[in-house]
Amino acid sequence: MSSVLVKNGRLIRKHTVEPADLLVDSGRIAAIGKNLTAGQATLIDAQGMYVAPGFIDIHIHGAGGSDFMDGGAESVKTILDTVLPHGTTSLLPTLMSEPLSRMRQAIEAIADSEDPRILGIYIEGPFFSEEKKGAQPAAHLLAPDVDSFQALIDGFTEKIKVVSLAPELPGGLDLVGVIVRSGMIAALGHSNASFSQAMAAIDAGVSQFTHFYNGMSSLHHRNPGAVGAGLLATTTTLELIADGIHVHPRAIELMVKTRGIDYICLITDAVRATGMPDGKYTLAGQEIFVQDGIARLVDGESLAGSTLTMEKAVRNMVQFGFPLHDVVRAATFVPACRLGVDTTKGSIAVGKDADLVVLNEDMGVEYVLIGGELRYEGG
Ligand SMILES: [Zn+2]
């Protein structure tokens, strides 16, 4: 395996940004320090640039014209390769509510891929509330049902990392129990839960909120809803689409002030239109229309995922006023901890996997390394 020396960069560590060189060898970070010498290593001069851990996107549906629900090896590869130049070095392919047979096909196709960038699968649906369906097709929503869930994931329990559901529906809490006992994260999503129903779901094991604020009962002072529960419960992680459209920057500030950045996980929720021109696309069998990069259902006002990429999410958060090292933690270390891979991924330290993104001053991606291999070099 090749070795790479990244010279003169500013390393974005968990709690600091510090100038240092970084040596990569045999796929791992081998040394961090001043005046490291290259020897046989490939040299990257990162003068004036930042070096961050590779971004981990735990909620992404598609990109580059493909969707993980397409259910083929080619789609999986297209999506991974489209988001690579945006600094995403690991991700969770995310399914939507479609007939269970199609969801099963998608799970099989993703599980077939040996690509190490895939850290597991996120199942978003179909046990959702119609009132908060957003872009989840109503025709394919089901009441929570343990037997159909077990049939859906049969043989793939180890691969499934997150399951999002509306826990207030009849049978919801039983399903939360099954999900948690199977070693997966139960997430509240597309849910019309009252505050007390959301708190009961957290007691039953829900530990994550799917794209927080979006697709859930909002905060009213006489009924604080799922949003109120997410802001108050100290154990849950809140996913955030930081595109400036899904959530107002000051509503993000409210999340950060109440919960702290270590419980906020930047996601893209990107759909197949990501990295593609504006126009018509499909999402879970429905037509969507993308204008100025904003994806909406054709026959409604509902947002239909995003065309966000991880480096843009980081840039937006910095522009909203949050410190760079905090923002990067929400795109790297927080998701790594969620998935239990923080001993190898999600931060810059000697011995960790050399999944790295070199960013310029404007948060544009200049280089991407995955497992110590230089996989992208910008112009
Ligand atoms: Zn989604």
Side-chain angles (χ1 to χ4, degrees):
M1 265 196 170
S2 57
S3 55
V4 178
L5 179 64
V6 185
K7 286 282 287 180
N8 307 319
R10 281 171 283 174
L11 308 189
I12 304 176
R13 309 295 295 271
K14 266 188 255 176
H15 300 283
T16 56
V17 179
E18 60 190 49
D21 302 336
L22 184 153
L23 181 68
V24 168
D25 190 47
S26 303
R28 298 229 161 82
I29 299 171
I32 294 170
K34 303 271 184 212
N35 305 315
L36 299 182
T37 47
Q40 304 288 29
T42 307
L43 185 70
I44 292 176
D45 186 4
Q47 184 72 49
M49 299 180 194
Y50 295 102
V51 184
F55 302 136
I56 302 173
D57 186 359
I58 66 166
H59 185 154
I60 170 169
H61 298 278
S66 291
D67 190 300
F68 287 114
M69 287 302 295
D70 295 344
E74 203 50 44
S75 308
V76 172
K77 188 179 179 317
T78 299
I79 299 163
L80 289 169
D81 291 347
T82 304
V83 299
L84 171 66
H86 299 284
T88 300
T89 57
S90 299
L91 51 72
L92 289 189
T94 304
L95 310 187
M96 284 192 64
S97 306
E98 285 208 51
L100 291 172
S101 57
R102 269 189 59 86
M103 295 178 71
R104 172 85 187 172
Q105 253 174 32
I107 291 174
E108 288 168 357
I110 297 160
D112 273 349
S113 170
E114 306 270 276
D115 199 301
R117 284 174 283 181
I118 296 179
L119 298 182
I121 298 172
Y122 187 137
I123 302 182
E124 189 184 6
F127 310 114
F128 286 146
S129 158
E130 192 158 346
E131 288 106 318
K132 295 290 173 188
K133 66 181 168 48
Q136 299 279 342
H140 302 309
L141 300 185
L142 296 175
D145 178 63
V146 169
D147 290 340
S148 7
F149 173 70
Q150 278 172 334
L152 173 66
I153 65 156
D154 184 41
F156 297 102
T157 306
E158 301 281 300
K159 301 264 181 192
I160 314 298
K161 300 298 175 194
V162 185
V163 181
S164 177
L165 76 160
E168 77 279 10
L169 296 176
L173 294 186
D174 288 342
L175 187 51
V176 167
V178 168
I179 293 164
V180 173
R181 284 194 298 278
S182 307
M184 305 160 189
I185 293 167
L188 177 147
H190 296 279
S191 158
N192 203 25
S194 66
F195 176 77
S196 56
Q197 285 172 328
M199 292 306 275
I202 293 166
D203 278 346
V206 161
S207 63
Q208 191 158 307
F209 279 54
T210 298
H211 42 56
F212 190 64
Y213 289 116
N214 298 110
M216 62 186 68
S217 42
S218 53
L219 190 153
H220 183 279
H221 56 289
R222 281 190 292 274
N223 180 10
V227 165
L231 292 176
L232 281 178
T234 53
T235 52
T236 57
T237 297
L238 311 177
E239 299 173 15
L240 170 64
I241 309 172
D243 60 356
I245 296 150
H246 280 77
V247 184
H248 190 283
R250 302 288 61 95
I252 297 176
E253 184 180 357
L254 181 62
M255 291 167 78
V256 174
K257 280 192 171 159
T258 50
R259 296 299 316 285
I261 200 79
D262 288 298
Y263 288 95
I264 293 170
C265 186
L266 295 185
I267 60 160
T268 62
D269 199 22
V271 299
R272 72 169 84 238
T274 305
M276 305 288 284
D278 280 358
K280 276 189 179 170
Y281 295 89
T282 58
L283 180 67
Q286 313 159 101
E287 279 216 315
I288 63 169
F289 190 71
V290 179
Q291 193 171 17
D292 303 324
I294 303 172
R296 292 180 191 277
L297 291 180
V298 166
D299 54 358
E301 278 299 285
S302 184
L303 292 168
S306 86
T307 61
L308 185 64
T309 48
M310 286 299 280
E311 96 286 21
K312 279 190 201 152
V314 167
R315 181 187 301 131
N316 289 340
M317 287 292 281
V318 170
Q319 283 172 354
F320 299 156
F322 303 101
L324 177 60
H325 58 275
D326 280 354
V327 171
V328 166
R329 210 155 74 245
T332 58
F333 190 64
V334 173
C337 289
R338 279 269 80 194
L339 300 180
V341 296
D342 51 300
T343 53
T344 52
K345 295 187 188 295
S347 58
I348 292 182
V350 171
K352 295 268 170 95
D353 291 355
D355 295 349
L356 299 165
V357 184
V358 180
L359 299 155
N360 60 33
E361 286 277 358
D362 303 319
M363 301 294 116
V365 175
E366 297 283 346
Y367 302 92
V368 180
L369 286 86
I370 299 178
E373 300 290 329
L374 182 58
R375 296 286 295 274
Y376 171 77
E377 195 171 346

